Amino acid sequence: MEQLEITYRQLKGMEKVPYLLVDIREESAVSYGMVPGAVHIPLEKIGNGGALRQYLDAPSPQDAGPGLGETAVILYCARGIASKEKAAALRECGFAAYSLAGGYTGWLLDYMEDNKPSGQSQAKEAEQSIQKKFHKQLFSKFTKAVRDYQLIQEGDRIAVCISGGKDSMLMAKLFQELKKHRKVSFALEFLVMDPGYSPANRQVIEDNAKRLGIPIRIFATDIFEAVYGIEKSPCYLCARMRRGHLYNQAKELGCNKIALGHHYDDVIETILMGMLYGGQVQTMMPKLHSTNFGGMELIRPMYYIREEDIKHWRDYNCLHFIQCACRFTENCASCEPDGRGLSKRMEVKRLIAGMKQVNPFVEGNIFKSVENVNLSTVIAYKDQGVRHHFLDSYDR
């Protein structure tokens, strides 16, 4: 059989050859970054190739454009596994289909190798963009959350937890910027937990940290090994174990707080998910005392920052991150917090986007809904684990 895979190096040499580059990952993964020039068609929508025809048959700037069979279709997924299988299937349907070797992660490693910044140039450019172009959208909202929710106090030692994605990497840069102002004296540890990453995924995280001037401290665990064979809710268990290891490592380093990179969109999606799928009214709190690690606290300083602004900052600085580096995504499967969670979050994300077209204030209203709870209009609620019902005091 003809060669089924195309490497990044070969792709670079195909400027004069007509091809269509297709990202077949799920929408949540694509939001963390794509190969430049690619179009997004999720794997389940490609089918026998019908979804490709609108791109293959579209007129090109030069002429009517190449049609089916004349244009190479190059697919990529997270690691190049699902894309290779799909490329083989599309060939049987008459397409000149290929898989990008190594998938998005493989491309990213090669891209970083070919585009190494000189000195600290990219770190400085990223910092300048926070100070100027994105000051209002990012840094101002970061400091507002710190003030509004009293997230940082004098003498704090904060473990900034970095997963390797766009949110946590930006959070690290915002903390570095905040430290320059020195209104409050606090110390930082930039903590990366390796729960069993593949060498490629770990390399991406290390390269991005070096590129951005973030002095990360990496510690290893065997969490992926522990949960990989579990069929029911492996991602939920993985998340719980990771949180515990982060607390423990942070405490050993003398930290009294861990900082996570959840943003505004995470908050409003969590509110709706709790109502629609959990039958409860709750939110993702801006800070929490740890119940298992005395004296430790969790803070979320990106509470007011919009995901769209994080993406703009990422793209403006030509940065590329991985969504999730676990074994499930290495095998090109979905990484879902409870076996369904990621798809439910994407459903809620789309639901909010649809409602916003009708009501532009819907996102703000969802956020404010958990700030304006009127207990006299609530049938029942819980306080410190104790359930209170309106009938308990109805006739008083």
Side-chain angles (χ1 to χ4, degrees), residues 2 5 9 60 84 119 173 185 213 222 235-236 242 266 268 273 280 308 310 313 345 368-369 390 395:
E2 185 186 352
E5 289 186 304
R9 310 294 178 196
S60 67
K84 190 173 181 179
K173 296 307 297 178
S185 178
D222 60 355
C235 296
Y236 173 76
R242 290 169 82 155
D266 290 325
I268 61 174
M273 284 179 70
Q280 57 188 339
E308 201 60 36
I310 299 173
W313 173 81
R345 185 169 288 276
K368 293 174 185 175
S369 67
F390 86 104
D395 290 323

Side-chain angles (χ1 to χ4, degrees), residues 73-209:
V73 176
I74 305 172
L75 311 176
Y76 72 87
C77 53
R79 299 283 296 166
I81 300 171
S83 57
K84 190 173 181 179
E85 293 177 357
K86 192 62 182 178
L90 287 175
R91 285 194 177 188
E92 295 180 3
C93 299
F95 290 87
Y98 300 85
S99 172
L100 184 61
Y104 179 74
T105 304
W107 168 82
L108 189 49
L109 284 170
D110 288 335
Y111 174 84
M112 287 178 159
E113 182 64 28
D114 286 356
N115 294 274
K116 288 184 177 178
S118 56
Q120 291 297 311
S121 60
Q122 192 157 17
K124 289 182 179 178
E125 289 170 5
E127 290 161 8
Q128 288 175 354
S129 69
I130 289 172
Q131 295 161 0
K132 297 178 181 179
K133 182 175 178 62
F134 296 98
H135 188 275
K136 181 178 178 181
Q137 300 96 320
L138 300 179
F139 190 67
S140 291
K141 290 184 178 180
F142 186 82
T143 56
K144 178 174 170 56
V146 169
R147 289 193 309 269
D148 287 356
Y149 300 118
Q150 301 175 24
L151 301 183
I152 301 176
Q153 279 78 39
E154 185 75 25
D156 277 346
R157 188 174 190 85
I158 304 167
V160 182
C161 300
I162 299 174
S163 65
K166 66 187 191 312
D167 308 328
S168 59
M169 285 290 190
L170 172 59
M171 178 177 65
K173 296 307 297 178
L174 290 169
F175 264 115
Q176 287 179 324
E177 187 64 27
L178 183 64
K179 204 166 187 336
K180 293 176 186 176
H181 293 73
R182 293 193 177 277
K183 291 186 177 181
V184 174
S185 178
F186 63 94
L188 297 172
E189 290 281 356
F190 298 98
L191 202 56
V192 175
M193 180 181 62
D194 181 349
Y197 293 145
S198 69
N201 282 328
R202 177 159 169 163
Q203 188 65 50
V204 169
I205 295 171
E206 291 178 354
D207 286 353
N208 270 323

Side-chain angles (χ1 to χ4, degrees), residues 208-222:
N208 270 323
K210 193 175 298 183
R211 190 175 290 261
L212 288 169
I214 303 170
I216 59 174
R217 183 192 294 265
I218 303 178
F219 71 100
T221 70
D222 60 355

Side-chain angles (χ1 to χ4, degrees), residues 243-251 258 290 293 296-298:
R243 183 76 56 85
H245 278 283
L246 286 169
Y247 269 125
N248 187 63
Q249 186 69 18
K251 196 165 187 176
I258 66 170
S290 172
F293 294 85
M296 294 292 294
E297 195 174 0
L298 180 155

Side-chain angles (χ1 to χ4, degrees), residues 34-72:
M34 295 172 62
V35 178
V39 298
H40 178 224
I41 308 176
L43 177 61
E44 66 273 12
K45 291 187 178 180
I46 291 182
N48 292 327
L52 299 172
R53 296 177 188 275
Q54 61 175 308
Y55 297 97
L56 296 174
D57 297 333
S60 67
Q62 293 80 13
D63 50 37
L68 178 62
E70 299 175 27
T71 301

